[in-house]
């Protein structure tokens, strides 16, 4: 538990919404610096979130070295660099998979530029999530698109530094409605396995078909040594991007059990935990605080699991006994001991209440009046 | 078949997209008049789409009587009026269900204004789709929201004229991620049943949980005499709003079989067929032409069903025989006879090709240069 | 909480399985009396399960009055009577919906016989779950089947006594693969609403499409005064019939919140809580003990919900605050106070451990050697 | 099209059902010889089904060489050998993944015995579908089970002959309700990739989560050269095992398009097409005839696809044009030309009608009176 770190996405502090409406809120950051300041605030109140993921071009700045210093001065560092190949008009029919070589080249070059950002900011991971896909049967050639994807990824991977990683994310559907080019962990896995050691998979907890056993995939990718990172969030229906743990805390617990079981929290594991959420109707900074606390709580419950008692019940074929050992860890209220953990570190025992009392929200609402609020999507 | 009419939604001609990106396209209408002109063009090439649904406030004009005349001059009429209570900032936490009486009043008044539009345009149906719902457990009181919904609907229903109908649409999820206030046909049905005869249900074919047998609901609502209208579209995953029949033509066939079976195409049925689609990556006018042709084709196949042979096989417990009779209708290629039907009426035999040849698209791309393209959502 | 009662299904003590295999276990009851003895044991260790549901013909006996006395002597009473119209060869194509009047008559008569069992045992509820449905499009006429269903139900309802209820269960799919005749709460509701006051709906928590918000249905049926009873179990994929609360304890919590919110635990509510589960690989009696404890635990957590604080946060539009109040109740470990509740009533503080120590299981394994183990299904 | 061959499963001719009920039917085979005779009849009427898959131990015989001769005398050959590790009491908690080495040994030995059957019958493929999995979180160690699975598979693979293949099937859920040990194509793929060239994946069209794009997996496995075979059937909800093409013929068409696109029907493709279905309520032999005809029809429609026109529309970014080319192939009625194809080969033009007229069904109903009807499952 001591080394639990959860990366925050810069875009969680900007406005977000659905295709129907994006609501604005007072105090929303207008610059990447303001997003980083908000993220640093989450870290200050929780002690759990020492890095911030950036999204290019949303977080483009002229001087990335200065941005790095800015972040470090606030006590956080720049984390994963996320590329974006879904908002240019040229990407209407794909990016790394596009039929037109020129569009693919543009998309590849964008990733090379992201690697430059990594070099300047000290970021170790390039995360690739593709909106590539098709809406109608017949619209694209599934097979050819895979070949072009493999080729494009290889072109990018060549430029990944020795201490850097390429992290490939998969997604079941959306924005494409018929086929996405990297729909499942199997596809992401076969691509990164073909590339090499520094290519790994990102598992976004909201990107699966209904009923998918996500902790199985966690266990499998850890077994195959290809689980690079998590994008945490939760969902009831589609890719809802709700606060992690909000929709099904028991699922988050099961996932953390497998992460621990597979060594994912060990010092050298290389598994990065990141949030990827939207705060469409709730407050953003407290939303992020709640999220990192949820991950911490479920990790703490998972850490309580009595592995020996569990193994013994499993060996005995005692289904109910094993299940009871499992549930006992989940049902134990860890909040008091986490409050103590925080107190010992000079952190507020109740980060949500402490933030509310801090006046930070009132201050940014007063200060951030002009300019355009950050956002994503359309 | 002779009286098949499919209403077009004005917004299908505007830009649409996902929360990630809305792509613009040359020739997109900038005014409601241009949308109506495009809709009239679809009717001109297909002979199937004599009415256009409007969406308020997207299609607001100072003079609705003039708009009615404009449409009629182009050979179409104004159809269903769709209200919108999801894009005002005041509706962030609901409209007709909102805790705050003032917000509910605003939402009710908006519907009364829509009824005024109906009175001016000759529209018979007020369609209510609500984005109301909650994203997190605990966010709202499910029960209280139902009571407020019932009260608000009653306030609107009072103003529905003798020759008008209130049509209540249900939706499984989106934009709300945890709970929608009218999630299923049962909820829509119990509300309209409580209101009276002129309140009916709208079935949007994309608004159901995975695996839902939609034709069963069609049959049930027809049996209960509460099927008011269809919002046609198709889906692979969520509410994809794809071209009707594109994702699962056999499902569309089964739906049309039940519509015919239940008298939904009879002269006095009161079942209105409407499209409700997005054309995110495909051309909009041909997208609408393709859609009405798809409905016509599957209706024609459904009309081929040999009901007597089917009933006889059913009586004999001959599962395969009955299924074969059913599939025979689906598998028969009706396109030649529909081409002939069109030729007999002076319509182009191949409406898609005829439109492509017509120069209409080129003309609107040349003419519609300035101003803001119509769109929806954000 | 004081009046929480959970009915046990007699068949949970018999063998069950999948279409692939039914595993037998030592000690499985061979008679209805042995099932009742096991159920009484669950009550003895938990104080929560004072009644046993029977399934006819699985639990047929020559003298039901004697069976009632037998149960009462063991400290339990006979609960719901469940009919069975899915195991006779005549029901291959339906029962209450069958095309053949003779088969319908047989099915109706079976229900009248069940009412006689109710009269003799003092049971108040007749529960009807139908396996009726079709496997292939075209196999049956959806609409006609509804009419025959309505007629058959009316024939049965006539015989329901003044102090008795007819409880109609719905199920999304299985065993029928294309269409079930009572697939959703809307269909069950419209049928019981047409019958009268003593006809109500049974909500089986495993009988919904993926993603369905079940607590919404609970709230809605309570609002409509038609929630008759629950069949509790849990599921990951289909109708898994797992131990209630095992797959998603948070969902069970949310359901119990709505039950309490809607008055479902009030003295006069008429909402009966029942288990309907399979114990395919786990021990049956402990499986039932665990199940009633799970319902008690989640009810206790739901009862902790601070409704005033919740309402205040809702009024303030404080999404995170409301959600936190909600989650605080869920996250609180109620096990110590439930142990105390049991101690105060002379019940074992840890019913699972106490049962394991009791020697009951060893005794029945030694005694129940000859004869045929009870089971269900094939 | 000329070389289309569809393997029939011997068990499709036996009784099958759900956990609720297995209905018997007159004429059901009592021996493997009678099943083969029925399968040969399907081939005789369709010319498409020259091989029969066997299931061990359901189809155990003392002399497999004699069985081979028996089959060949009837004009068919023995195809895939399917192992069974789900009906022995020892497999309650797994087979190849079982914690107990002795149980794993039993399961491995069963597969070696199946290889002996292959050697004797000339069968080339050993198909492994595992019911292994767990019903409750905590019941088993996901990771350890994977390692044991890998080890067990390796022990079997060693014995696979040079001209034989091991085909590993995956399944999303059932009979296990929480976790299956080979739930998805990614898991099956990583296991067979670790084994070697003669290990490949079996794709059962009914074994995926709701909404899964199956044709994508087809394309991907063909690309990775690991698509060994299909188990064809169709589904609305779970693993319904309905007649292939009955639930969603357009999906079957799309699958066949990808099979052809990826070379799966080429002479040397190694992709075996097999049915794996249940006929719970419909007649079995006609059910199989209908199934092979469905595969043939959708393959014929897929073969009509104008690849050049499609590629051109794709290159032009003409979404609707490409989709129209695609749908044109699907919508074309190929039944007349397939009737002609049959006539040219001396086959009945309408195999369903010819079988009904043939008297075969009446003969087996008269002859197969004593003995026990074949079945599967419980």
């Amino acid at each position: 538990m001591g080394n639990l770190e959860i990366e925050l996405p810069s875009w969680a502090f900007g406005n977000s919404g659905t295709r129907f409406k994006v609501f604005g809120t007072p105090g929303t950051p207008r610059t990447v610096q303001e997003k980083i300041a908000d993220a640093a605030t989450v870290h200050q109140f929780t002690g759990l979130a020492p890095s911030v993921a950036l999204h290019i071009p949303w977080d483009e700045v002229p001087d990335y070295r200065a941005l790095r210093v800015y972040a470090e001065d606030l006590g956080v560092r720049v984390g994963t660099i996320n590329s974006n190949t879904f908002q240019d008009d040229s990407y209407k029919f794909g990016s790394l998979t596009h039929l037109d070589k020129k569009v693919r080249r543009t998309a590849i070059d964008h990733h090379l530029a992201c690697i430059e950002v990594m070099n300047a900011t000290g970021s170790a991971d390039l995360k690739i999530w593709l909106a590539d896909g098709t809406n109608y049967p017949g619209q694209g050639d599934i097979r050819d698109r895979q070949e072009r994807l493999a080729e494009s990824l290889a072109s990018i991977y060549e430029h990944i530094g020795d201490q850097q990683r390429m992290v490939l994310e998969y997604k079941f559907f959306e924005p494409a409605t018929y086929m996405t080019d990297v729909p499942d962990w199997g596809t992401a896995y076969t691509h990164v396995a073909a590339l090499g050691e520094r290519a790994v998979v990102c598992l976004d907890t909201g990107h699966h078909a209904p009923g998918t056993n996500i902790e199985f995939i966690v266990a499998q990718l850890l077994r195959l040594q290809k689980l690079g990172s998590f994008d945490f969030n939760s969902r009831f229906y589609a890719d809802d991007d709700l606060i992690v743990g909000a929709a099904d805390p028991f699922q988050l617990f099961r996932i953390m059990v497998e992460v621990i079981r597979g060594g994912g929290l060990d010092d050298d594991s290389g598994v990065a935990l990141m949030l990827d959420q939207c705060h469409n109707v709730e407050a953003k900074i407290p939303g992020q605080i709640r999220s990192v606390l949820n991950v911490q709580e479920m990790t703490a419950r998972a850490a309580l699991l009595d592995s020996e008692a569990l193994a013994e019940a499993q060996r005995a074929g005692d289904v109910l006994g094993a299940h009871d050992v499992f549930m006992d860890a989940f049902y134990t209220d860890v909040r008091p001991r986490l409050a103590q953990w925080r107190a010992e570190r000079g952190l507020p025992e109740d980060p949500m209440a402490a933030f509310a009392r801090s006046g930070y929200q009132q201050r940014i609402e007063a200060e951030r009046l002009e300019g355009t609020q950050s956002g994503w999507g359309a």
Side-chain angles (χ1 to χ4, degrees), chain A residues 170-173 183-185 203-214 217 235 237-239:
Chain A
Y170 60 93
K171 186 172 183 183
F172 180 55
F173 87 100
D184 51 26
W185 78 263
L203 187 158
D204 183 300
T205 50
H207 290 187
H208 303 85
T212 300
N213 185 327
I214 296 173
I217 299 175
R235 65 188 284 275
Y237 307 100
D239 183 31

Side-chain angles (χ1 to χ4, degrees), chain A residues 3 21 24 35 103 160 162 210 253 269 280 285 306 333 351 365:
Chain A
N3 51 1
K21 169 72 174 172
K35 294 183 204 171
V103 178
I160 293 288
D162 284 350
F253 169 82
S269 84
N280 295 353
I285 299 173
D306 184 341
D333 193 345
E365 291 187 15

Side-chain angles (χ1 to χ4, degrees), chain A residues 103-162:
Chain A
V103 178
R104 292 204 301 279
R105 190 66 248 172
T106 304
I108 291 166
D109 287 344
H110 168 65
H111 285 90
L112 303 192
C114 287
I115 294 174
E116 290 308 311
V117 175
M118 293 165 68
N119 295 337
T121 56
S123 165
D125 286 355
L126 171 65
K127 191 162 74 194
I128 306 180
W129 169 69
L130 296 173
D132 291 42
T134 57
N135 282 8
Y136 289 96
Q139 179 186 334
D141 186 295
I142 296 174
R143 175 69 175 268
D144 282 350
R145 293 173 71 96
Q146 284 298 308
E147 301 304 345
R148 294 193 294 264
L149 173 63
E151 202 181 284
S152 296
L153 289 172
S155 301
I156 299 166
Y157 187 68
E158 276 178 17
H159 297 264
I160 293 288
D162 284 350

Side-chain angles (χ1 to χ4, degrees), chain A residues 30-33 54 56-68 70 113 116-117 120-121:
Chain A
R30 299 153 302 173
T31 64
V32 58
Q33 287 81 3
L54 301 185
I56 306 298
W58 298 342
D59 296 326
E60 248 172 9
V61 290
D63 184 345
Y64 286 100
R65 269 165 246 278
L67 191 69
R68 176 187 188 160
Y70 175 84
E116 290 308 311
V117 175
T121 56

